[in-house]
Amino acid sequence: MGSSVAVLWLLAAVMGEDRVSSALSLDCIECNSTTSNNCMGSKKTCQPDQDQCIATYTESNIQNEKFKLFSKECGFLKDCDKTSRMTFNQTFYFKSSKCCNTNECKQDPITFPDKREKLSLTCSYCNEKADKCKSSEQLQCMGDETKCLTYVYTKMENNKNVTHSMAGCANENMCALKKAVSHHGDQGAITIKFECNRASSILSNLLLPAVSGLLFLKLLS
């Protein structure tokens, strides 16, 4: 009798925990769109450790291949309200997220910023079909881009692997990913290099040749 009561108590406790866990789980809308920065979908009950409904918008234009994706799903607080960006002149990658934490809540729309202030920081710029950048052209960074990023990937073109090298500006969140962004395209790509360094100021770029010239003249005198 005692053992039966114990079993019944254990079952009741487990069922009670399941009800509590279910009651505490968040319900989020789950959907995807490749045409707009919003979408509608069905409700999904999140895992107990997923405490946010997260909306993510990704837009890129890499080697003239444009890509857009807006998604809503269950997520984590650590991935909320972050914007990652890298810019190689007209080539760019942008990803931003917004969160809310009530059942079937709605996040504010996410848009790609059309206008950003120019910084007094520059990075070497290139966009070449090569294993390593050869160009020394300078690109003025914008917005919150304070890092210089080198991005190298290999893509299948005409049944051959072709390596592309790009260099430009990026923000801290982009560099903090610690992994390369997948190149979006019909045939995909394998990234082989993704690294960041501190951007240099325009003033230092202007002063360096002048200082070098003065030192050279001093050596000659």
Side-chain angles (χ1 to χ4, degrees), residues 10-24:
L10 181 61
L11 287 173
V14 171
M15 292 176 67
E17 286 179 1
D18 287 343
R19 284 197 294 270
V20 171
S21 176
S22 176
L24 293 177

Side-chain angles (χ1 to χ4, degrees), residues 20-130:
V20 171
S21 176
S22 176
L24 293 177
S25 294
L26 188 64
D27 291 333
C28 295
I29 299 299
E30 188 176 58
C31 62
N32 292 289
S33 173
T34 57
T35 58
S36 74
N37 64 343
N38 208 344
C39 62
M40 299 296 293
S42 57
K43 179 179 71 175
K44 179 183 178 180
T45 299
C46 305
Q47 296 296 319
D49 60 336
Q50 293 176 313
D51 56 356
Q52 300 288 324
C53 294
I54 184 168
T56 305
Y57 179 62
T58 303
E59 183 174 343
S60 66
N61 183 358
I62 299 177
Q63 295 294 352
N64 294 319
E65 290 184 354
K66 297 181 179 180
F67 175 84
K68 289 184 179 181
L69 177 64
F70 182 87
S71 65
K72 291 182 179 180
E73 59 188 339
C74 299
F76 305 93
L77 183 61
K78 66 179 180 64
D79 298 319
C80 290
D81 303 316
K82 290 186 177 180
T83 297
S84 303
R85 186 195 334 268
M86 60 182 182
T87 305
F88 313 114
N89 212 353
Q90 298 302 312
T91 296
F92 66 87
Y93 175 91
F94 168 85
K95 182 177 181 180
S96 187
S97 64
K98 290 187 177 180
C99 294
C100 55
N101 59 0
T102 57
N103 286 331
E104 300 179 60
C105 56
K106 295 181 180 179
Q107 302 89 342
D108 293 332
I110 302 173
T111 56
F112 180 81
D114 293 327
K115 295 182 179 180
R116 291 178 292 148
E117 292 183 3
K118 289 186 177 182
L119 301 177
S120 59
L121 299 174
T122 64
C123 293
S124 295
Y125 160 74
C126 81
N127 191 343
E128 305 170 4
K129 287 186 178 181

Side-chain angles (χ1 to χ4, degrees), residues 9 34 37 48 73 86 119 121 133 140 165 169 185 197 205 220:
W9 179 86
T34 57
N37 64 343
E73 59 188 339
M86 60 182 182
L119 301 177
L121 299 174
C133 287
Q140 189 170 358
S165 294
C169 303
N197 297 293
N205 288 332
L220 292 176

Side-chain angles (χ1 to χ4, degrees), residues 164-177:
H164 295 258
S165 294
M166 295 188 292
C169 303
N171 69 353
E172 291 276 1
N173 286 338
M174 190 79 241
C175 293
L177 291 177

